[in-house]
Amino acid sequence: MSHGDLDRIDTTTAHPARRYNYWLGGKDNFAADRESGDAIAAIYPAIRTTALENRQFLRRAVRFLSEEQGVRQFLDIGTGIPTADNTHEVAQGIAPESRIVYVDNDPIVLTHARALLTSTPRGATAYIDADLRDPAGIMGHPDLRRTLDLDQPVALMLIAIVHFLFDHDKPYEIVRGMVDALPSGSYLVMSHGTADLNDPAARAHAEAEIRAGRLKVDAQPRSKDEIARFFEGLELVDPGIAPVLEWHNPVPEADRPPLQDVAMYGVVARKP
């Protein structure tokens, strides 16, 4: 890690990627990340289950696109700290020629990505230090242009990241702009936190903790209808906007966690 990267690391403020790493049992996190993670877990004890199931949704979505739709290019924004079944591992395990661009804005994530996310000889991976709030900077980045052919379909992976955009960030415009930059036959893949599936008592308790200032909010859950707005003009893949637990999940329903323990929707849609 360069001195410049070290200077950018704020260990006093929780970062979503490091907090997610903590929930998944990783070691690449700081006290602020653990404190934030524990505060959220106190309100939503199943948050670690949510993190694990969200990762399984990513794996199933990439496998579906690679095996059944022939997608060979992926743009994964909000990469997170590498763990098992990263996008390129799943995609290149099916088609070694697959090409993947990862994007994140945490220097720890990028350092790990450069060290661990190595491509197959036939494929390619690249890592861009950028923020989803700067879609033009991402889409115009020379490393993206060198790695992906934007005349061929690309799967835009927005896994557990869009809920960190508040309405004032103009999330619909950001997502629409990125989809517009991709060719016909591309896909938008999203998982997004929601309060729709929460236990009502837990939801009320969380709202009370937020009002009292004991729980800091850095994300905006959205309803199914609000999430649907991201997919206007796109062709939803069956079963449409569904809980991540239900999206193409081969695990029998009786063996899955309760829906309310994984309050997140998953969606895959094709650009016509």
Side-chain angles (χ1 to χ4, degrees):
M1 186 181 295
S2 69
H3 286 297
D5 284 345
L6 285 170
D7 290 342
R8 286 179 50 212
I9 298 174
D10 179 2
T11 63
T12 65
T13 303
H15 188 282
R18 300 193 304 257
R19 185 172 59 206
Y20 195 77
N21 173 261
Y22 172 57
W23 286 331
L24 290 175
K27 296 180 173 59
D28 297 294
N29 46 73
F30 299 105
D33 307 307
R34 296 188 287 274
E35 289 167 10
S36 174
D38 288 343
I40 293 172
I43 303 298
Y44 297 117
I47 190 64
R48 291 177 178 85
T49 301
T50 300
L52 291 166
E53 292 296 336
N54 182 66
R55 196 73 188 181
Q56 290 300 316
F57 166 73
L58 178 149
R59 183 185 62 79
R60 295 195 302 272
V62 172
R63 180 169 292 280
F64 167 80
L65 292 173
S66 297
E67 286 185 339
E68 299 189 33
Q69 306 304 315
V71 175
R72 297 294 178 260
Q73 301 190 112
F74 296 82
L75 174 56
D76 186 336
I77 302 178
T79 304
I81 294 167
T83 180
D85 290 337
N86 299 291
T87 296
H88 78 287
E89 292 173 319
V90 179
Q92 292 182 345
I94 296 163
E97 71 274 20
S98 298
R99 308 174 75 82
I100 296 88
V101 171
Y102 290 107
V103 181
D104 210 291
N105 66 350
D106 184 332
I108 287 182
V109 170
L110 289 158
T111 297
H112 281 280
R114 293 183 184 114
L116 299 176
L117 301 181
T118 54
S119 174
T120 59
R122 289 175 56 194
T125 55
Y127 325 100
I128 297 175
D129 181 1
D131 193 296
L132 179 56
R133 294 174 184 84
D134 179 22
I138 294 172
M139 299 309 297
H141 197 286
D143 289 349
L144 181 145
R145 297 285 173 159
R146 276 193 292 267
T147 308
L148 302 181
D149 177 358
L150 295 186
D151 291 327
Q152 298 297 321
V154 176
L156 173 58
M157 311 290 295
L158 299 176
I159 303 297
I161 184 173
V162 177
H163 48 235
F164 293 112
L165 297 179
F166 288 87
D167 286 344
H168 63 76
D169 294 313
K170 300 186 176 179
Y172 296 105
E173 290 85 343
I174 287 172
V175 173
R176 173 55 55 191
M178 300 195 78
V179 171
D180 285 348
L182 300 176
S184 174
S186 293
Y187 285 83
L188 173 60
V189 181
M190 184 185 296
S191 62
H192 195 300
T194 183
D196 291 359
L197 308 174
N198 287 140
D199 174 72
R203 182 176 175 179
H205 179 46
E207 290 169 351
E209 292 293 288
I210 291 166
R211 285 194 301 271
R214 289 188 290 268
L215 182 63
K216 182 179 182 296
V217 176
D218 60 3
Q220 181 175 335
R222 292 183 170 92
S223 68
K224 187 174 185 178
D225 287 345
E226 289 172 323
I227 293 169
R229 284 183 56 197
F230 289 107
F231 295 88
E232 290 175 357
L234 303 180
E235 300 168 348
L236 295 178
V237 170
D238 188 67
I241 302 170
V244 292
L245 273 175
E246 295 180 351
W247 199 92
H248 291 223
N249 193 348
V251 176
E253 186 173 350
D255 296 332
R256 301 174 195 167
L259 272 183
Q260 66 189 36
D261 283 359
V262 188
M264 190 168 287
Y265 285 119
V267 198
V268 177
R270 183 182 181 275
K271 180 177 179 179

